[in-house]
Amino acid sequence: MNNPCPFSMRHAVKKDGAAAIELRQLSKVYKGARTPALNGIDLTVREGGFFGILGPNGAGKTTLMSVLGGLLKPSSGSVWINGQDLQRHRAAIKRVLGMVPQEPAIYPTLTARENLEYFGRMQGLSGKHLQSRVEACLEIAEISADADQRVEHFSGGFKRRLNLVIGLIHEPRILILDEPTVAIDPHSRALIHQRLRELHAAGISILISTHYMEEAEQLCQEIAIMHHGRILVQGTVGDLLAMQRNETIQMQLTDDPPEALIRKLQQLPGLQNAFVSGRCVMVTAERPDEVAVRLMQTVHEYGLGVHSMGFGASSLEQVFLSLTENRAEK
Amino acid sequence: MRQNLFKLAASILKEARIIGRDRQALFLFFVMPVVFVLILSLALRDAFGERPGASFPVLVVAGDRGEISSSVIQAFRSNSHLQLTESEYASEAQVRQWLIEGRYKFAVLIPSGAMEQAKRRIGEMAARVPKDLLMEKPVAVRVLADPALRGDYRKVLEGALSLALRGVEMRLGGEQLDQILKTTLGERHVPMPDMEQTPVFAPVQSEVVTRERGDPVPTSVQQNAPAWTLLAMFFLTVPLSVSFIKEREQGSLFRLQTMTVPAWVVLGGKALPYFVINLIQMASILAVSVHVLPLLGGDRLDLGHSPSAILVMGASASIAAIGFGIAVAMYARTAEQAASFSSAVVMIMAALGGILVPKTVMPPLMQDLAVFSPLSWGLDGFQDVFVRGGGVTQVMPEALGLLAFSALCHGIAILRYESRI
């Protein structure tokens, strides 16, 4: 259940910064659920880093965000934020953490200014400091002109922008965003991207979950791909693309491979890594052309056919799809 | 702590703004309950026997067929507002039962041998027997009354009875004087008996007959004003719980959970505005019952003698209702579920607690079950003040019961809120 991810690039991550967020063997099983929503997650977000979590719907991204926000208790494992254990220093961690939930968590019948003032007060701000933060956030979101309009009259993009800046009202050191640009207009998306880059440049550690590949590719330094509560692969965008581009063979089998075949594939000479997900086999090797022949032979020995075979990947989306598509179908 | 109080104030302001911008909700909170009280108090007035010009069934149990009985019967028969029934043999227990059943509003019990007793007593008085040594006691003509009979009507009936008895008294005194004058000689002076100091009849004082449980029957307005106040308060649990769930669905409640905001601030910020709404509801319903209802031909609600007791009951009932609403909100999954569940439970508690149907007309089993409804405790508390003239001490058991119910609900809600983290 808690096997290390076969494609983990964790060790390639530079260790020159302290960890803003560190998860160790984190699992979450909902009451009555047969499968865990999170299954042995290991993840490190460096201080000042910009980390993206990619995954299809149901991968466990929102559960992970909820655990990080202190909304859900993990079933096992540990969560360290800003060098402190979340379970033991919840209040201290909440002060440095800014959460931006997936859906705009705002009061529709209040104005944008009233929403910011309210959440600012809930973060312990008051007086002139609160007012200056409210004005700053309105400017960051570029909604100053509509600050005194009720939020219920806002477009989806305006709501998302307000949702983002409410998470910034108390100037957090770590920002966690759960799919912040879902279903919004290109202008608002571009603005949110721009603001996130500025925040990152200002030294704020950012963890973002998204299912937009280009968003992750453009914004994030490091990426983890989640599926069925597990992290399938983790590393920098460059690492992931390189892994797929030159040294990777993807093979679709005609049937599910038996355990014995999987074990044999993993022991084939010349292989660096082998990952089997359903009928999809993905391997990395220094000489993929030689390994491909051995792979075909081995598969045929077990009476299986090869539906398709390809070498390398050219985009993060292809990496993502090759890792998750077959599992999703299954 | 100081910072949390600021957070609480901000939460209250936020909630007040949200409620204040919902015009439909404001209409439902304040106008509907007042309209209900007006309509029902007027519509049910006849059911509570308060129709102006109505005639009252009165029973005279003439255990003695002498002059006392005939004088009383004659006095009552001359009043067109009284439906007089005479009986010779009904027992006191039977009469009490008839009053409880509402068959009679007022009953006069004349004991057997009353006339002879009266004559003996006046004879002793004429013989100048010292007051302390009088052998014969005053004749006790007893009066039993339905507590639902308006107090002013009861006093009128008591007055009529007193006059009738005083007439008999005077006649007996005169007869005695004549007798003495006949049996004495010459110009010897015989003073009249001093009937002021040594009355022939005991003072007329009616006893309010209560049910076995000791619950007086309230009038229409005494029933409806507190009942609909309580129902309005408990129905506020629907918008309260729905608003909580909407916040959860919108994510703002979860956002608050990611901040350093204690559960009591979140719950208090939500509850206190609704508490104020409840008190305004109560004040408006009582004001209408006192000032508007009489203008429409209904009875004026007598608020009793203890405004503080009314406040204690209103505050306790509101706190109980809010606790229930918050507990529902914590457990319901959707706004629809919260709305349907809380309104169904409130209606059941209202039916059971004598809000929809007065407890006084319920059979004994249903009256026993009413004890399980917090609305019944609230109604009892208000009626302690309005019907029985009680004060803070008298309403304390009901108020404490409501507060205990609220504490239980709030405790469950806080546990649930915390357990979600």
Side-chain angles (χ1 to χ4, degrees):
Chain A
M1 176 171 159
N2 291 330
N3 292 334
C5 169
F7 284 101
S8 175
M9 301 286 284
R10 223 175 338 114
H11 300 297
V13 172
K14 290 179 183 174
K15 291 285 187 181
D16 52 354
I21 299 171
E22 193 164 14
L23 312 180
R24 290 286 167 264
Q25 286 300 298
L26 184 71
S27 293
K28 173 68 187 176
V29 184
Y30 287 108
K31 201 174 175 183
R34 290 196 299 179
T35 54
L38 297 177
N39 189 352
I41 302 284
D42 286 313
L43 184 148
T44 303
V45 180
R46 284 178 300 135
E47 202 169 291
F50 203 138
F51 198 105
I53 294 181
L54 284 168
N57 291 336
K61 301 189 299 293
T62 299
T63 299
L64 178 60
M65 296 291 163
S66 299
V67 171
L68 292 173
L71 303 175
L72 288 174
K73 273 184 183 167
S75 304
S76 63
S78 62
V79 179
W80 290 73
I81 294 177
N82 203 35
Q84 292 178 303
D85 184 351
L86 179 62
Q87 293 306 312
R88 288 199 286 176
H89 303 282
R90 191 180 293 268
I93 289 170
K94 282 180 175 179
R95 288 190 194 98
V96 299
L97 202 63
M99 288 291 295
V100 180
Q102 192 176 82
E103 293 300 322
I106 44 186
Y107 294 101
T109 54
L110 298 186
T111 66
R113 187 187 303 283
E114 287 167 349
N115 268 288
L116 282 164
E117 283 174 350
Y118 172 65
F119 285 111
R121 286 184 202 282
M122 292 298 105
Q123 290 284 20
L125 308 183
S126 60
K128 287 182 181 171
H129 181 49
L130 172 64
Q131 289 314 313
S132 69
R133 285 302 305 155
V134 168
E135 294 306 326
C137 286
L138 288 170
E139 280 179 28
I140 291 170
E142 294 187 0
I143 52 173
S144 296
D146 298 294
D148 296 312
Q149 294 286 316
R150 287 194 201 175
V151 173
E152 62 192 346
H153 303 309
F154 277 17
S155 67
F158 269 38
K159 286 178 185 170
R160 292 269 173 194
R161 292 192 222 169
L162 178 62
N163 192 40
L164 168 68
V165 292
I166 287 173
L168 300 173
I169 188 80
H170 61 303
E171 298 175 277
R173 291 175 59 183
I174 300 168
L175 189 60
I176 297 176
L177 306 103
D178 190 5
E179 305 198 16
T181 57
V182 170
I184 58 170
D185 60 285
H187 175 69
S188 291
R189 179 176 297 176
L191 180 75
I192 288 175
H193 285 179
Q194 179 58 29
R195 295 300 181 236
L196 291 178
R197 283 192 199 94
E198 289 166 6
L199 291 166
H200 178 230
I204 294 177
S205 311
I206 300 176
L207 174 65
I208 181 172
S209 87
T210 179
H211 54 239
Y212 294 126
M213 303 304 135
E214 73 281 7
E215 187 170 80
E217 228 170 319
Q218 288 168 19
L219 295 173
C220 301
Q221 295 171 318
E222 296 170 54
I223 287 169
I225 295 178
M226 276 188 81
H227 196 50
H228 290 171
R230 296 185 62 197
I231 288 181
L232 301 180
V233 61
Q234 188 177 149
T236 64
V237 176
D239 288 339
L240 294 184
L241 290 174
M243 179 188 85
Q244 293 273 294
R245 195 166 291 137
N246 300 320
E247 303 164 344
T248 307
I249 304 166
Q250 294 176 58
M251 188 187 281
Q252 288 280 343
L253 305 179
T254 53
D255 208 344
D256 288 338
E259 280 296 318
L261 173 58
I262 295 171
R263 280 197 297 276
K264 188 152 188 181
L265 286 175
Q266 286 168 340
Q267 291 162 3
L268 279 178
L271 246 70
Q272 290 174 326
N273 272 308
F275 173 62
V276 180
S277 173
R279 295 177 187 176
C280 175
V281 177
M282 193 158 60
V283 300
T284 56
E286 284 183 8
R287 293 183 177 180
D289 47 343
E290 291 177 10
V291 170
V293 176
R294 291 191 205 116
L295 269 175
M296 296 278 282
Q297 287 172 343
T298 311
V299 167
H300 286 136
E301 280 173 23
Y302 281 81
L304 293 176
V306 176
H307 187 269
S308 65
M309 191 164 81
F311 292 83
S314 58
S315 70
L316 194 57
E317 187 158 359
Q318 281 179 296
V319 177
F320 177 79
L321 290 174
S322 67
L323 287 169
T324 60
E325 196 171 48
N326 196 263
R327 286 184 167 211
E329 282 169 7
K330 189 177 178 185
Chain B
M1 185 63 187
R2 191 161 167 264
Q3 201 172 57
N4 283 336
L5 289 176
F6 281 127
K7 290 179 182 178
L8 179 64
S11 297
I12 291 168
L13 178 64
K14 177 264 296 177
E15 197 62 33
R17 278 174 169 156
I18 291 172
I19 294 169
R21 288 169 190 177
D22 189 343
R23 289 182 189 170
Q24 282 182 326
L26 290 175
F27 178 80
L28 287 172
F29 293 165
F30 298 118
V31 180
M32 289 295 284
V34 166
V35 171
F36 265 120
V37 170
L38 280 175
I39 293 171
L40 286 166
S41 293
L42 292 170
L44 294 175
R45 191 180 54 183
D46 288 358
F48 285 77
E50 297 162 36
R51 191 172 61 249
S55 57
F56 303 108
V58 170
L59 175 69
V60 173
V61 180
D64 182 280
R65 295 303 295 178
E67 192 185 349
I68 299 175
S69 297
S70 58
S71 295
V72 170
I73 288 166
Q74 192 179 351
F76 283 1
R77 190 166 282 157
S78 63
N79 188 331
S80 60
H81 290 296
L82 303 180
Q83 301 164 9
L84 186 67
T85 303
E86 297 169 41
S87 167
E88 280 187 50
Y89 308 109
S91 68
E92 183 181 330
Q94 181 64 67
V95 172
R96 284 176 180 272
Q97 187 57 36
W98 285 338
L99 285 163
I100 286 170
E101 289 168 3
R103 200 162 151 185
Y104 300 104
K105 293 286 181 189
F106 193 83
V108 180
L109 305 176
I110 300 168
S112 80
M115 195 59 202
E116 286 307 311
Q117 186 185 347
K119 283 179 178 172
R120 284 197 298 274
R121 183 167 168 85
I122 212 157
E124 284 180 46
M125 287 158 60
R128 301 190 63 78
V129 175
K131 184 180 172 185
D132 298 341
L133 300 176
L134 286 171
M135 297 290 288
E136 208 58 65
K137 292 180 179 172
V139 178
V141 174
R142 303 187 54 220
V143 175
L144 304 176
D146 181 347
L149 179 64
R150 281 170 45 164
D152 46 355
Y153 291 174
R154 198 171 68 233
K155 288 292 177 196
V156 168
L157 289 168
E158 285 170 3
L161 178 62
S162 290
L163 277 174
L165 294 177
R166 183 50 64 100
V168 174
E169 202 174 47
M170 293 307 291
R171 275 196 298 280
L172 286 176
E175 284 172 9
Q176 192 64 34
L177 182 61
D178 287 345
Q179 187 65 33
I180 290 165
L181 288 172
K182 282 178 191 169
T183 54
T184 53
L185 297 173
E187 291 111 29
R188 187 176 165 195
H189 177 67
V190 177
M192 286 290 286
D194 185 358
M195 292 173 187
E196 288 298 322
Q197 293 300 313
T198 50
V200 177
F201 300 101
V204 172
Q205 193 165 13
S206 58
E207 176 194 344
V208 172
V209 179
T210 60
R211 287 170 183 273
E212 204 173 270
R213 291 156 199 282
D215 293 338
V217 179
T219 63
S220 169
V221 70
Q222 284 172 336
Q223 163 71 21
N224 283 314
W228 288 92
T229 299
L230 287 162
L231 195 60
M233 284 180 171
F234 273 79
F235 251 108
L236 218 62
T237 60
V238 177
L240 171 62
S241 55
V242 166
S243 122
F244 239 117
I245 289 167
K246 272 188 180 172
E247 280 202 28
R248 201 166 69 205
E249 287 173 348
Q250 287 161 359
S252 41
L253 200 59
F254 289 146
R255 177 164 240 155
L256 289 175
Q257 287 178 324
T258 68
M259 302 174 178
T260 51
V261 185
W264 68 266
V265 169
V266 176
L267 299 181
K270 183 65 78 176
L272 283 171
Y274 282 90
F275 177 74
V276 173
I277 290 172
N278 276 165
L279 293 188
I280 296 172
Q281 281 179 322
M282 181 180 76
S284 55
I285 289 174
L286 295 186
V288 163
S289 302
V290 171
H291 300 294
V292 179
L293 208 53
L295 301 178
L296 301 173
D299 274 337
R300 180 180 184 276
L301 176 66
D302 182 356
L303 294 179
H305 313 291
S306 178
S308 47
I310 297 173
L311 196 61
V312 165
M313 279 314 301
S316 308
S318 173
I319 292 168
I322 288 167
F324 174 68
I326 289 175
V328 169
M330 287 296 122
Y331 282 87
R333 289 176 193 276
T334 62
E336 292 76 18
Q337 198 180 54
S340 54
F341 177 78
S342 52
S343 53
V345 172
V346 167
M347 287 309 289
I348 290 169
M349 288 197 296
L352 200 61
I355 302 294
L356 304 180
V357 179
K359 277 191 284 183
T360 48
V361 302
M362 288 180 179
L365 175 65
M366 293 307 291
Q367 292 190 21
D368 288 338
L369 290 175
V371 78
F372 294 107
S373 168
L375 275 86
S376 166
W377 313 337
L379 191 57
D380 286 347
F382 276 117
Q383 290 185 344
D384 278 345
V385 184
F386 299 152
V387 181
R388 304 172 187 94
V392 174
T393 313
Q394 283 71 40
V395 302
M396 215 28 97
E398 289 93 351
L400 289 175
L402 289 165
L403 292 176
F405 174 76
S406 179
L408 179 70
C409 291
H410 275 103
I412 291 170
I414 288 175
L415 278 178
R416 179 73 168 179
Y417 182 89
E418 298 284 3
S419 72
R420 288 190 165 187
I421 299 173

